Amino acid sequence: MTMTEVSSAVRARWLAVTTVAVGTFTVVTSEMLPVGLLTSIADDLGVSPGTAGLSMTAPGLVAAVAAPVLAFTARGLDRRLILMGLMALLGVANVVAAAAPDNTVMLAARVLTGVSIGGFWAFAAALGARLVPERSVGRATSIILGGVSVASVLGVPAATFVSSFAGWRSAFAAAGALSIALLALLAATLPPLRPEADDSGSAAREKRLAWLTGPLVLVLVLTALTVSGHFAAYTYVRPFLEQVSQAGPAFIGTALLLYGVAGVIGNFASGARAGRNPRSTFIVLVVLMTAAMLALALTGMPPLAALLVWGVGYGGVGVALQLWLMREGGGERGTALYVSAFNLSIALGALAGGRITDAVSVPAVMWTGAALTAVSAVVAGIWGRSRTTGS
């Protein structure tokens, strides 16, 4: 094989990595869409903001189940075909949501979204080792999982910005169009990805179960506390800005867009440090999140500075947790459990925030989010010191 052919093959593999990263960005952005559109969705479908928040709860719950179920039941299938099927399902779900005449149809579409999210994220996270040489696996995995982190902080502001000009349905329609485009790219760039043979024997089974009692448990606990706290508050950030800060649509769209930019900065700025010490990096980031939510709850003033701090904090949390998870191992099944915990936490956080919003007040969700993230920082500081080597 000539040098030109080798170079072409390498470029093709990295193009596949990039396509999968855009895929993770697309599925997670689709999951997050209702956050910045909640008020508009509620008004258009004739439901309360808390009820509209179920459009965040439903896909999170379904994804939490779909990730481990698909990881165990689809072991014999080509990963390329699985990812293509899940992306096609996401495209259908987003188009149905864009055309939903009522909340029932919207929730049905969001259930389909949840299946796609859980399966795509769980399988995509482990593909780095299949697509590039061993020396580049870490970089490829960071790029693929970076799609999740960037989507978590940039997808919502982008959707809010689009909807401010063309309505909330346009954001779902755009996500549907992106999903269809990604389906074509996955077909064109991914090579066949036959499942690797599972280890067998009692020693292998013991090895696969080891992470269940190890430090990975800590990562799952911290994921649950931090993500549920974030989404208990962030799902209802638009009603908070409207009712407490008296902010208008233009300010909200701009503020959330800047929040997203801050999150992307936090994502990449935290990567190198988290690679060396994920525990201390995680604690710093969660403290930033807690401080931002407390500032909003206490002042209610024009909240741009607090949102920027919040964005930096949450933008880096995903990278820190992912690198911590990779350090502790667990493979495809461990990743599936992490995805399950992450999405279940999104669902429970959004559900709790909705109930608090309807039963208590909108500002109360900021106190709830701050309390959960503060507990997460304490757990990481105390339990993490004794459970994590090298931290």
Side-chain angles (χ1 to χ4, degrees):
M1 181 179 291
T2 66
M3 290 297 295
T4 300
E5 290 172 328
V6 171
S7 178
S8 178
V10 170
R11 284 198 301 270
R13 290 301 178 122
W14 281 107
L15 179 59
V17 168
T18 303
T19 301
V20 175
V22 178
T24 58
F25 171 85
T26 303
V27 296
V28 177
T29 294
S30 296
E31 182 176 18
M32 302 297 134
L33 281 179
V35 172
L37 313 174
L38 205 59
T39 303
S40 300
I41 293 173
D43 290 343
D44 194 13
L45 299 182
V47 296
S48 71
T51 300
L54 293 175
S55 62
M56 277 292 293
T57 302
L61 289 174
V62 174
V65 176
V69 168
L70 288 174
F72 281 90
T73 60
R75 286 177 295 175
L77 298 179
D78 188 324
R79 272 42 179 162
R80 175 177 180 267
L81 296 179
I82 293 174
L83 294 180
M84 288 172 58
L86 292 169
M87 189 56 63
L89 180 64
L90 183 68
V92 171
N94 281 324
V95 170
V96 172
D102 54 45
N103 201 50
T104 300
V105 175
M106 169 62 81
L107 290 178
R110 299 296 286 168
V111 167
L112 298 180
T113 300
V115 175
S116 179
I117 294 164
F120 195 99
W121 187 351
F123 285 113
L127 285 186
R130 306 284 303 276
L131 293 173
V132 300
E134 184 177 354
R135 66 181 183 277
S136 302
V137 167
R139 179 185 170 199
T141 302
S142 297
I143 292 172
I144 290 171
L145 295 179
V148 176
S149 299
V150 174
S152 298
V153 297
L154 193 58
V156 170
T160 305
F161 187 75
V162 169
S163 69
S164 66
F165 293 99
W168 69 269
R169 295 181 187 273
S170 66
F172 282 94
L178 180 59
S179 302
I180 302 302
L182 255 295
L183 173 60
L185 283 174
L186 289 170
T189 62
L190 281 182
L193 295 166
R194 302 290 181 185
E196 296 175 335
D198 289 336
D199 292 337
S200 58
S202 59
R205 286 194 297 271
E206 182 177 335
K207 180 181 179 181
R208 287 197 297 269
L209 292 174
W211 48 263
L212 291 173
T213 56
L216 180 60
V217 173
L218 173 62
V219 178
L220 298 177
V221 169
L222 296 177
T223 299
L225 288 169
T226 305
V227 176
S228 60
H230 172 76
F231 281 98
Y234 190 58
T235 302
Y236 301 93
V237 70
R238 180 162 185 161
F240 178 90
L241 295 176
E242 290 172 339
Q243 298 177 28
V244 179
S245 300
Q246 303 298 309
F251 176 86
I252 292 172
T254 302
L256 291 182
L257 189 61
L258 291 175
Y259 163 92
V261 173
V264 172
I265 293 172
N267 175 70
F268 290 105
S270 301
R273 179 171 174 78
R276 295 190 299 271
N277 193 329
R279 183 179 73 92
S280 64
T281 304
F282 173 82
I283 292 172
V284 170
L285 295 169
V286 174
V287 168
L288 290 177
M289 293 173 61
T290 304
M293 284 183 265
L294 286 176
L296 289 171
L298 289 170
T299 65
M301 298 296 288
L304 185 57
L307 283 173
L308 292 177
V309 172
W310 192 350
V312 170
Y314 185 70
V317 157
V319 175
L321 285 171
Q322 288 157 12
L323 290 174
W324 202 339
L325 178 76
M326 291 168 62
R327 171 182 286 192
E328 304 305 340
E332 196 172 75
R333 292 182 179 88
T335 300
L337 276 187
Y338 170 70
V339 172
S340 180
F342 200 105
N343 283 281
L344 182 61
S345 301
I346 291 174
L348 294 178
L351 179 63
R355 302 287 73 80
I356 291 169
T357 295
D358 288 346
V360 184
S361 67
V362 172
V365 297
M366 292 298 165
W367 292 104
T368 303
L372 288 170
T373 53
V375 171
S376 180
V378 171
V379 170
I382 297 175
W383 192 19
R385 181 178 295 277
S386 61
R387 300 288 294 181
T388 307
T389 60
S391 292

